[in-house]
Amino acid sequence: MTHVFYHVPFQLLKQCVGLYLPISSCFKILGKYMINIILNKEKELKSILQDFFFKGYHRNSKPEFRNFYDEEVFQVACQIYKRGFTQNQQNFALNGNSLDINFVEKKQIIDILNKKASSKIFYIIDANFYKKYLNLVSAKKIFLYEASETNKNLESMTQILREISSDCEEIIAIGGGITLDISGFIAGICKLPITYLATSLLATIDAAVGGKTGVNFTPFGKNQIGLFYNAKEFYCVPEFFQTLPQIEIISGMCEALKHSWLYGSFDEDLPIFNDICQGEYNFINSIQFFLKHISYKMNIVNQDPFENSVIRSSLNFGHTLAHIIEALCEEDRIKRIPHGIAVAHGMYFLIQNKYVENKSIKFINFLTQIIYLYPIVKYKGIYASEIEKYLKHDKKNINSFQCVLSLPSYACFSLNEVRNKNQNILKIFNSMDFSILASQYLNSF
């Protein structure tokens, strides 16, 4: 078999342009094409995606077309597998990479949402959040999403897709990171503009920024299926954070902790981190803190919007072990912990095992406090072979025998300077060696 790449949707888009249709009309045609394939050929799509995983494809692979594949389904699979093979992902990332960020008060967001109550706007709202704020949205077209890692999958995505009417002109997603991830993916499929209202600290600092969208694909891991697709607007209401459980606030803080490593601002941020840990931080007066950490992430994303070089991979610092922890949680091997805390464990593990040099004693001491407060609680022993199984599908890896880790040095980024693209952030290790150390770490609790 030869390695081929079909460009059915892209050719369709070029035909639209040739007919002098407005860009918005071209996008709608492209969106309807994608929706039709996903809703009517879901079984074939899952089969091809599973085949890609079994073949061990990474993002730089050239997928092999097989005679029993449906050509159109194959093309869609190529676009959404690990957010698209690098050879043609730009064909579907058509909405630019700018983001209008707005920090507003609760009464302001109610007014804004009331003005967006058109019948042509579709809302995807975290069901638990909606119960707390019943009067926030007066729109009629609402899908209440039960946000959980277990429910973040293709089945939930297709269920929501079936509810979106053909005359829909915009999607508004209200919720935390899980809700924004799946909603952004749906918007990318439909080729509709999407507005995010982030209701958690984690979503504000991480999920709402950067255009990564996606769902999990069992048993192959977290966020394995998706698209790069940016929101057009992003709203944040710090008042909402006041009602979050402390563990969720700490989870969001841990992503900011990662940014403070990348930009060398940990000492500067330490008083705020301490206040957050002690439950004493006033989020209503925290706009500058949020904006700084959003600018950290956007600075990296703008240099590498499609994660085609090592630059954006720096944001994966600590995420290799974190994603394994989350996968083990889904298998009920480990008690569930939020994403940010899993990332804290991932960073702590890398520093303690000297994968990366730590030049800040204060940083590791603070991390140790987080690990002590939120340890791994396992239900059964974790074997290295189990970790290696998940490691095989890590998006950074090129083959199943290696482990590619993101190991950025402390303060390797600056908002004032564009980093050297040749500076090495990714380093390769033997996957079994990493798996043994990781299993020892998890079993040490």
Side-chain angles (χ1 to χ4, degrees):
M1 289 288 181
T2 57
H3 295 285
V4 296
F5 239 73
Y6 288 89
H7 296 279
V8 179
F10 190 48
Q11 294 299 331
L12 179 64
L13 180 62
K14 290 203 294 186
Q15 290 172 19
C16 294
V17 173
L19 293 171
Y20 301 102
L21 293 176
I23 292 296
S24 59
S25 297
C26 296
F27 286 0
K28 285 182 179 179
I29 291 172
L30 197 55
K32 288 179 180 178
Y33 171 90
M34 287 283 283
I35 294 168
N36 179 63
I37 295 296
I38 290 172
L39 294 186
N40 297 317
K41 297 185 178 182
E42 183 181 357
K43 184 177 179 181
E44 294 95 323
L45 179 62
K46 287 182 179 178
S47 177
I48 293 176
L49 290 171
Q50 286 175 340
D51 209 22
F52 285 179
F53 281 108
F54 288 135
K55 287 178 176 294
Y57 287 153
H58 53 87
R59 292 184 63 234
N60 291 322
S61 297
K62 293 183 178 180
E64 180 183 61
F65 180 78
R66 304 177 72 180
N67 291 335
F68 57 86
Y69 287 166
D70 179 305
E71 290 186 11
E72 293 181 324
V73 178
F74 171 73
Q75 172 61 25
V76 172
C78 289
Q79 301 293 343
I80 66 176
Y81 177 78
K82 297 182 184 287
R83 298 191 185 92
F85 294 105
T86 55
Q87 293 95 330
N88 75 340
Q89 66 186 211
Q90 285 88 341
N91 297 344
F92 267 21
L94 299 170
N95 65 326
N97 63 352
S98 61
L99 180 63
D100 182 14
I101 302 171
N102 304 277
F103 285 83
V104 297
E105 296 177 358
K106 181 181 172 183
K107 60 182 180 180
Q108 290 176 289
I109 199 65
I110 291 174
D111 291 338
I112 291 167
L113 294 178
N114 282 335
K115 292 176 182 177
K116 289 178 174 286
S118 163
S119 62
K120 294 187 177 181
I121 295 179
F122 186 80
Y123 281 79
I124 304 171
I125 307 177
D126 180 297
N128 287 327
F129 178 82
Y130 186 76
K131 292 173 186 174
K132 294 180 184 177
Y133 301 95
L134 292 173
N135 300 322
L136 189 68
V137 178
S138 59
K140 294 181 179 178
K141 296 186 176 181
I142 296 175
F143 186 95
L144 297 181
Y145 173 59
E146 298 290 342
S148 70
E149 290 292 345
T150 304
N151 205 28
K152 183 182 170 185
N153 51 38
L154 284 174
E155 290 77 13
S156 293
M157 188 192 75
T158 55
Q159 183 184 2
I160 299 172
L161 274 176
R162 293 184 193 281
E163 299 293 325
I164 301 176
S165 60
S166 59
D167 64 346
C168 179
E169 294 182 351
E170 182 181 354
I171 294 174
I172 296 179
I174 303 177
I178 292 174
T179 302
L180 302 193
D181 280 352
I182 193 170
S183 299
F185 187 22
I186 290 167
I189 293 294
C190 298
K191 294 293 167 282
L192 290 170
I194 184 166
T195 294
Y196 289 154
L197 170 52
T199 62
S200 72
L201 181 58
L202 180 66
T204 300
I205 290 175
D206 187 41
V209 182
K212 275 189 174 183
T213 73
V215 296
N216 307 331
F217 196 69
T218 305
F220 302 105
K222 183 177 175 181
N223 296 330
Q224 293 285 350
I225 306 298
L227 290 169
F228 286 96
Y229 198 79
N230 291 295
K232 68 165 188 173
E233 290 180 293
F234 164 32
Y235 289 93
C236 175
V237 182
E239 290 170 74
F240 292 153
F241 301 160
Q242 303 292 86
T243 61
L244 288 172
Q246 179 69 355
I247 191 172
E248 296 296 339
I249 293 173
I250 299 295
S251 174
M253 182 203 69
C254 288
E255 283 287 356
L257 191 62
K258 178 195 71 179
H259 293 155
S260 76
W261 171 279
L262 297 175
Y263 285 86
S265 66
F266 175 74
D267 287 350
E268 174 188 316
D269 288 337
L270 183 55
I272 295 176
F273 289 150
N274 279 327
D275 285 347
I276 291 174
C277 281
Q278 293 164 16
E280 298 175 355
Y281 192 61
N282 186 339
F283 289 103
I284 296 173
N285 299 325
S286 59
I287 293 176
Q288 291 307 314
F289 174 76
F290 292 141
L291 286 175
K292 180 173 74 169
H293 283 274
I294 290 171
S295 69
Y296 284 163
K297 183 169 182 181
M298 290 189 71
N299 176 258
I300 293 172
V301 168
N302 288 338
Q303 293 182 58
D304 186 18
F306 299 111
E307 203 171 39
N308 286 334
S309 72
V310 299
I311 294 175
R312 185 161 178 167
S313 67
S314 63
L315 293 169
N316 290 322
F317 180 48
H319 281 59
T320 298
L321 183 62
H323 287 163
I324 290 170
I325 290 171
E326 289 171 303
L328 291 167
C329 290
E330 293 307 308
E331 285 194 357
D332 291 326
R333 305 297 303 279
I334 290 176
K335 183 179 179 181
R336 182 195 174 274
I337 58 174
H339 172 72
I341 292 173
V343 170
H345 276 278
M347 293 188 291
Y348 182 83
F349 167 80
L350 292 175
I351 294 171
Q352 287 295 88
N353 283 283
K354 297 183 170 48
Y355 280 106
V356 64
E357 182 182 1
N358 177 39
K359 296 182 179 179
S360 171
I361 299 299
K362 290 181 181 179
F363 187 91
I364 191 63
N365 287 344
F366 188 81
L367 258 186
T368 303
Q369 293 180 48
I370 303 299
I371 302 308
Y372 178 79
L373 285 172
Y374 303 103
I376 299 294
V377 178
K378 59 186 183 301
Y379 300 130
K380 298 178 181 178
I382 307 300
Y383 298 101
S385 58
E386 296 173 287
I387 292 174
E388 199 170 18
K389 176 186 70 174
Y390 286 110
L391 202 59
K392 179 180 179 181
H393 299 294
D394 188 289
K395 291 183 285 293
K396 300 185 298 299
N397 296 349
I398 295 176
N399 63 58
S400 59
F401 303 104
Q402 68 175 23
C403 170
V404 179
L405 297 178
S406 171
L407 301 174
S409 59
Y410 185 79
C412 65
F413 282 94
S414 166
L415 290 177
N416 301 319
E417 300 176 9
V418 175
R419 59 165 275 109
N420 180 0
K421 292 186 178 182
N422 296 320
Q423 183 177 333
N424 190 21
I425 285 174
L426 296 180
K427 294 184 180 178
I428 299 174
F429 300 89
N430 180 279
S431 62
M432 178 53 75
D433 293 343
F434 176 87
S435 299
I436 292 171
L437 286 176
S439 66
Q440 290 173 352
Y441 175 78
L442 297 176
N443 288 317
S444 69
F445 290 91

